PDB file of all heavy atoms in Angstrom:
ATOM      1  N   ALA A  25     -15.181  17.149  -8.136  1.00  0.00           N
ATOM      2  CA  ALA A  25     -14.813  16.254  -6.969  1.00  0.00           C
ATOM      3  C   ALA A  25     -13.882  15.157  -7.463  1.00  0.00           C
ATOM      4  O   ALA A  25     -14.044  14.610  -8.528  1.00  0.00           O
ATOM      5  CB  ALA A  25     -16.060  15.654  -6.299  1.00  0.00           C
ATOM      6  N   PHE A  26     -12.857  14.862  -6.576  1.00  0.00           N
ATOM      7  CA  PHE A  26     -11.834  13.900  -6.974  1.00  0.00           C
ATOM      8  C   PHE A  26     -11.840  12.711  -5.933  1.00  0.00           C
ATOM      9  O   PHE A  26     -11.587  13.006  -4.796  1.00  0.00           O
ATOM     10  CB  PHE A  26     -10.491  14.590  -6.960  1.00  0.00           C
ATOM     11  CG  PHE A  26     -10.427  15.595  -8.091  1.00  0.00           C
ATOM     12  CD1 PHE A  26     -10.811  16.932  -7.907  1.00  0.00           C
ATOM     13  CD2 PHE A  26      -9.876  15.314  -9.304  1.00  0.00           C
ATOM     14  CE1 PHE A  26     -10.715  17.807  -8.916  1.00  0.00           C
ATOM     15  CE2 PHE A  26      -9.734  16.229 -10.346  1.00  0.00           C
ATOM     16  CZ  PHE A  26     -10.144  17.469 -10.108  1.00  0.00           C
ATOM     17  N   TYR A  27     -12.140  11.553  -6.459  1.00  0.00           N
ATOM     18  CA  TYR A  27     -12.198  10.348  -5.559  1.00  0.00           C
ATOM     19  C   TYR A  27     -10.893   9.564  -5.882  1.00  0.00           C
ATOM     20  O   TYR A  27     -10.839   8.902  -6.896  1.00  0.00           O
ATOM     21  CB  TYR A  27     -13.442   9.572  -5.911  1.00  0.00           C
ATOM     22  CG  TYR A  27     -13.613   8.250  -5.186  1.00  0.00           C
ATOM     23  CD1 TYR A  27     -13.120   7.996  -3.969  1.00  0.00           C
ATOM     24  CD2 TYR A  27     -14.403   7.259  -5.734  1.00  0.00           C
ATOM     25  CE1 TYR A  27     -13.283   6.788  -3.333  1.00  0.00           C
ATOM     26  CE2 TYR A  27     -14.600   6.008  -5.197  1.00  0.00           C
ATOM     27  CZ  TYR A  27     -14.085   5.782  -3.917  1.00  0.00           C
ATOM     28  OH  TYR A  27     -14.252   4.559  -3.326  1.00  0.00           O
ATOM     29  N   GLY A  28      -9.881   9.577  -5.001  1.00  0.00           N
ATOM     30  CA  GLY A  28      -8.658   8.993  -5.282  1.00  0.00           C
ATOM     31  C   GLY A  28      -7.767   8.686  -4.129  1.00  0.00           C
ATOM     32  O   GLY A  28      -8.124   8.780  -2.984  1.00  0.00           O
ATOM     33  N   ASP A  29      -6.570   8.245  -4.513  1.00  0.00           N
ATOM     34  CA  ASP A  29      -5.595   7.833  -3.438  1.00  0.00           C
ATOM     35  C   ASP A  29      -4.504   8.889  -3.356  1.00  0.00           C
ATOM     36  O   ASP A  29      -4.741  10.109  -3.693  1.00  0.00           O
ATOM     37  CB  ASP A  29      -5.032   6.434  -3.821  1.00  0.00           C
ATOM     38  CG  ASP A  29      -4.515   6.374  -5.295  1.00  0.00           C
ATOM     39  OD1 ASP A  29      -3.938   7.415  -5.751  1.00  0.00           O
ATOM     40  OD2 ASP A  29      -4.625   5.349  -5.941  1.00  0.00           O
ATOM     41  N   SER A  30      -3.322   8.535  -2.971  1.00  0.00           N
ATOM     42  CA  SER A  30      -2.190   9.499  -2.739  1.00  0.00           C
ATOM     43  C   SER A  30      -1.856  10.148  -4.014  1.00  0.00           C
ATOM     44  O   SER A  30      -1.388  11.307  -3.943  1.00  0.00           O
ATOM     45  CB  SER A  30      -1.018   8.796  -2.151  1.00  0.00           C
ATOM     46  OG  SER A  30      -0.531   7.740  -2.932  1.00  0.00           O
ATOM     47  N   TYR A  31      -2.002   9.598  -5.160  1.00  0.00           N
ATOM     48  CA  TYR A  31      -1.560  10.194  -6.389  1.00  0.00           C
ATOM     49  C   TYR A  31      -2.603  11.306  -6.797  1.00  0.00           C
ATOM     50  O   TYR A  31      -2.307  12.087  -7.644  1.00  0.00           O
ATOM     51  CB  TYR A  31      -1.523   9.221  -7.584  1.00  0.00           C
ATOM     52  CG  TYR A  31      -0.175   8.424  -7.555  1.00  0.00           C
ATOM     53  CD1 TYR A  31       0.393   7.944  -6.416  1.00  0.00           C
ATOM     54  CD2 TYR A  31       0.450   8.242  -8.737  1.00  0.00           C
ATOM     55  CE1 TYR A  31       1.568   7.257  -6.470  1.00  0.00           C
ATOM     56  CE2 TYR A  31       1.653   7.587  -8.874  1.00  0.00           C
ATOM     57  CZ  TYR A  31       2.260   7.088  -7.613  1.00  0.00           C
ATOM     58  OH  TYR A  31       3.418   6.422  -7.701  1.00  0.00           O
ATOM     59  N   THR A  32      -3.708  11.300  -6.178  1.00  0.00           N
ATOM     60  CA  THR A  32      -4.742  12.422  -6.414  1.00  0.00           C
ATOM     61  C   THR A  32      -4.712  13.401  -5.216  1.00  0.00           C
ATOM     62  O   THR A  32      -4.887  14.552  -5.354  1.00  0.00           O
ATOM     63  CB  THR A  32      -6.114  11.885  -6.633  1.00  0.00           C
ATOM     64  OG1 THR A  32      -6.111  11.039  -7.855  1.00  0.00           O
ATOM     65  CG2 THR A  32      -7.142  12.964  -6.897  1.00  0.00           C
ATOM     66  N   LEU A  33      -4.419  12.821  -4.061  1.00  0.00           N
ATOM     67  CA  LEU A  33      -4.216  13.706  -2.841  1.00  0.00           C
ATOM     68  C   LEU A  33      -3.076  14.697  -3.115  1.00  0.00           C
ATOM     69  O   LEU A  33      -3.091  15.817  -2.602  1.00  0.00           O
ATOM     70  CB  LEU A  33      -4.010  12.805  -1.651  1.00  0.00           C
ATOM     71  CG  LEU A  33      -3.625  13.524  -0.301  1.00  0.00           C
ATOM     72  CD1 LEU A  33      -4.829  14.430   0.092  1.00  0.00           C
ATOM     73  CD2 LEU A  33      -3.288  12.591   0.770  1.00  0.00           C
ATOM     74  N   GLY A  34      -2.013  14.205  -3.746  1.00  0.00           N
ATOM     75  CA  GLY A  34      -0.852  15.054  -3.948  1.00  0.00           C
ATOM     76  C   GLY A  34       0.344  14.763  -3.090  1.00  0.00           C
ATOM     77  O   GLY A  34       1.301  15.532  -3.110  1.00  0.00           O
ATOM     78  N   THR A  35       0.361  13.573  -2.532  1.00  0.00           N
ATOM     79  CA  THR A  35       1.525  13.148  -1.730  1.00  0.00           C
ATOM     80  C   THR A  35       2.842  13.148  -2.613  1.00  0.00           C
ATOM     81  O   THR A  35       2.848  12.604  -3.693  1.00  0.00           O
ATOM     82  CB  THR A  35       1.322  11.782  -1.106  1.00  0.00           C
ATOM     83  OG1 THR A  35       0.114  11.774  -0.374  1.00  0.00           O
ATOM     84  CG2 THR A  35       2.471  11.302  -0.252  1.00  0.00           C
ATOM     85  N   GLY A  36       3.866  13.749  -2.019  1.00  0.00           N
ATOM     86  CA  GLY A  36       5.108  13.903  -2.764  1.00  0.00           C
ATOM     87  C   GLY A  36       5.396  15.262  -3.390  1.00  0.00           C
ATOM     88  O   GLY A  36       6.541  15.648  -3.694  1.00  0.00           O
ATOM     89  N   ALA A  37       4.330  16.035  -3.534  1.00  0.00           N
ATOM     90  CA  ALA A  37       4.422  17.366  -4.056  1.00  0.00           C
ATOM     91  C   ALA A  37       4.993  18.278  -2.980  1.00  0.00           C
ATOM     92  O   ALA A  37       4.755  18.098  -1.756  1.00  0.00           O
ATOM     93  CB  ALA A  37       3.051  17.898  -4.579  1.00  0.00           C
ATOM     94  N   SER A  38       5.727  19.293  -3.399  1.00  0.00           N
ATOM     95  CA  SER A  38       6.270  20.283  -2.430  1.00  0.00           C
ATOM     96  C   SER A  38       5.162  21.143  -1.806  1.00  0.00           C
ATOM     97  O   SER A  38       5.312  21.639  -0.701  1.00  0.00           O
ATOM     98  CB  SER A  38       7.348  21.136  -3.066  1.00  0.00           C
ATOM     99  OG  SER A  38       6.779  21.944  -4.108  1.00  0.00           O
ATOM    100  N   ASP A  39       4.041  21.270  -2.515  1.00  0.00           N
ATOM    101  CA  ASP A  39       2.933  21.975  -2.071  1.00  0.00           C
ATOM    102  C   ASP A  39       1.672  21.492  -2.746  1.00  0.00           C
ATOM    103  O   ASP A  39       1.761  21.148  -3.936  1.00  0.00           O
ATOM    104  CB  ASP A  39       3.079  23.503  -2.400  1.00  0.00           C
ATOM    105  CG  ASP A  39       1.988  24.381  -1.764  1.00  0.00           C
ATOM    106  OD1 ASP A  39       0.867  24.190  -2.058  1.00  0.00           O
ATOM    107  OD2 ASP A  39       2.352  25.201  -0.909  1.00  0.00           O
ATOM    108  N   LEU A  40       0.606  21.242  -2.005  1.00  0.00           N
ATOM    109  CA  LEU A  40      -0.553  20.668  -2.634  1.00  0.00           C
ATOM    110  C   LEU A  40      -1.228  21.464  -3.709  1.00  0.00           C
ATOM    111  O   LEU A  40      -2.072  21.035  -4.533  1.00  0.00           O
ATOM    112  CB  LEU A  40      -1.604  20.274  -1.574  1.00  0.00           C
ATOM    113  CG  LEU A  40      -1.213  19.065  -0.693  1.00  0.00           C
ATOM    114  CD1 LEU A  40      -2.415  18.608   0.194  1.00  0.00           C
ATOM    115  CD2 LEU A  40      -0.716  17.894  -1.509  1.00  0.00           C
ATOM    116  N   ALA A  41      -0.833  22.779  -3.802  1.00  0.00           N
ATOM    117  CA  ALA A  41      -1.259  23.579  -4.913  1.00  0.00           C
ATOM    118  C   ALA A  41      -0.675  23.090  -6.201  1.00  0.00           C
ATOM    119  O   ALA A  41      -1.243  23.432  -7.269  1.00  0.00           O
ATOM    120  CB  ALA A  41      -0.860  25.046  -4.664  1.00  0.00           C
ATOM    121  N   LEU A  42       0.324  22.252  -6.150  1.00  0.00           N
ATOM    122  CA  LEU A  42       1.054  21.777  -7.353  1.00  0.00           C
ATOM    123  C   LEU A  42       0.532  20.320  -7.741  1.00  0.00           C
ATOM    124  O   LEU A  42       0.995  19.821  -8.713  1.00  0.00           O
ATOM    125  CB  LEU A  42       2.510  21.730  -7.157  1.00  0.00           C
ATOM    126  CG  LEU A  42       3.157  23.120  -6.902  1.00  0.00           C
ATOM    127  CD1 LEU A  42       4.625  22.980  -6.596  1.00  0.00           C
ATOM    128  CD2 LEU A  42       2.928  24.104  -8.068  1.00  0.00           C
ATOM    129  N   ARG A  43      -0.351  19.826  -6.929  1.00  0.00           N
ATOM    130  CA  ARG A  43      -0.879  18.505  -7.415  1.00  0.00           C
ATOM    131  C   ARG A  43      -1.715  18.637  -8.649  1.00  0.00           C
ATOM    132  O   ARG A  43      -2.215  19.704  -9.009  1.00  0.00           O
ATOM    133  CB  ARG A  43      -1.740  17.800  -6.274  1.00  0.00           C
ATOM    134  CG  ARG A  43      -2.976  18.618  -5.936  1.00  0.00           C
ATOM    135  CD  ARG A  43      -3.620  18.014  -4.665  1.00  0.00           C
ATOM    136  NE  ARG A  43      -4.826  18.796  -4.290  1.00  0.00           N
ATOM    137  CZ  ARG A  43      -5.484  18.551  -3.184  1.00  0.00           C
ATOM    138  NH1 ARG A  43      -5.227  17.524  -2.401  1.00  0.00           N
ATOM    139  NH2 ARG A  43      -6.593  19.317  -2.891  1.00  0.00           N
ATOM    140  N   TRP A  44      -1.849  17.540  -9.467  1.00  0.00           N
ATOM    141  CA  TRP A  44      -2.502  17.670 -10.749  1.00  0.00           C
ATOM    142  C   TRP A  44      -3.942  18.097 -10.704  1.00  0.00           C
ATOM    143  O   TRP A  44      -4.450  18.801 -11.482  1.00  0.00           O
ATOM    144  CB  TRP A  44      -2.403  16.305 -11.535  1.00  0.00           C
ATOM    145  CG  TRP A  44      -3.172  15.152 -11.003  1.00  0.00           C
ATOM    146  CD1 TRP A  44      -2.749  14.189 -10.128  1.00  0.00           C
ATOM    147  CD2 TRP A  44      -4.566  14.980 -11.277  1.00  0.00           C
ATOM    148  NE1 TRP A  44      -3.767  13.320  -9.833  1.00  0.00           N
ATOM    149  CE2 TRP A  44      -4.947  13.692 -10.543  1.00  0.00           C
ATOM    150  CE3 TRP A  44      -5.505  15.522 -12.024  1.00  0.00           C
ATOM    151  CZ2 TRP A  44      -6.149  13.152 -10.595  1.00  0.00           C
ATOM    152  CZ3 TRP A  44      -6.808  14.969 -12.134  1.00  0.00           C
ATOM    153  CH2 TRP A  44      -7.098  13.785 -11.446  1.00  0.00           C
ATOM    154  N   SER A  45      -4.656  17.619  -9.604  1.00  0.00           N
ATOM    155  CA  SER A  45      -6.077  17.918  -9.553  1.00  0.00           C
ATOM    156  C   SER A  45      -6.356  19.384  -9.291  1.00  0.00           C
ATOM    157  O   SER A  45      -7.230  20.036  -9.926  1.00  0.00           O
ATOM    158  CB  SER A  45      -6.755  17.165  -8.338  1.00  0.00           C
ATOM    159  OG  SER A  45      -6.204  17.460  -7.111  1.00  0.00           O
ATOM    160  N   THR A  46      -5.555  20.074  -8.399  1.00  0.00           N
ATOM    161  CA  THR A  46      -5.670  21.427  -8.139  1.00  0.00           C
ATOM    162  C   THR A  46      -5.309  22.272  -9.323  1.00  0.00           C
ATOM    163  O   THR A  46      -6.019  23.237  -9.726  1.00  0.00           O
ATOM    164  CB  THR A  46      -4.866  21.812  -6.952  1.00  0.00           C
ATOM    165  OG1 THR A  46      -5.235  21.071  -5.791  1.00  0.00           O
ATOM    166  CG2 THR A  46      -4.953  23.329  -6.592  1.00  0.00           C
ATOM    167  N   GLN A  47      -4.202  21.889 -10.072  1.00  0.00           N
ATOM    168  CA  GLN A  47      -3.847  22.676 -11.225  1.00  0.00           C
ATOM    169  C   GLN A  47      -4.831  22.437 -12.337  1.00  0.00           C
ATOM    170  O   GLN A  47      -5.087  23.454 -13.053  1.00  0.00           O
ATOM    171  CB  GLN A  47      -2.491  22.136 -11.649  1.00  0.00           C
ATOM    172  CG  GLN A  47      -1.339  22.507 -10.701  1.00  0.00           C
ATOM    173  CD  GLN A  47       0.015  22.159 -11.274  1.00  0.00           C
ATOM    174  OE1 GLN A  47       0.606  22.902 -12.036  1.00  0.00           O
ATOM    175  NE2 GLN A  47       0.509  20.957 -10.932  1.00  0.00           N
ATOM    176  N   LEU A  48      -5.409  21.288 -12.442  1.00  0.00           N
ATOM    177  CA  LEU A  48      -6.429  21.019 -13.466  1.00  0.00           C
ATOM    178  C   LEU A  48      -7.685  21.868 -13.220  1.00  0.00           C
ATOM    179  O   LEU A  48      -8.218  22.451 -14.158  1.00  0.00           O
ATOM    180  CB  LEU A  48      -6.813  19.570 -13.543  1.00  0.00           C
ATOM    181  CG  LEU A  48      -7.765  19.167 -14.631  1.00  0.00           C
ATOM    182  CD1 LEU A  48      -7.113  19.302 -16.060  1.00  0.00           C
ATOM    183  CD2 LEU A  48      -8.332  17.741 -14.447  1.00  0.00           C
ATOM    184  N   ALA A  49      -8.144  21.878 -11.954  1.00  0.00           N
ATOM    185  CA  ALA A  49      -9.254  22.796 -11.652  1.00  0.00           C
ATOM    186  C   ALA A  49      -9.033  24.255 -11.906  1.00  0.00           C
ATOM    187  O   ALA A  49      -9.895  24.884 -12.483  1.00  0.00           O
ATOM    188  CB  ALA A  49      -9.625  22.565 -10.176  1.00  0.00           C
TER     189      ALA A  49
END
Side-chain angles (χ1 to χ4, degrees):
F26 295 85
Y27 176 28
D29 52 36
S30 57
Y31 276 45
T32 300
L33 175 63
T35 303
S38 63
D39 189 297
L40 288 188
L42 299 177
R43 63 188 178 184
W44 71 265
S45 64
T46 300
Q47 294 186 83
L48 184 69

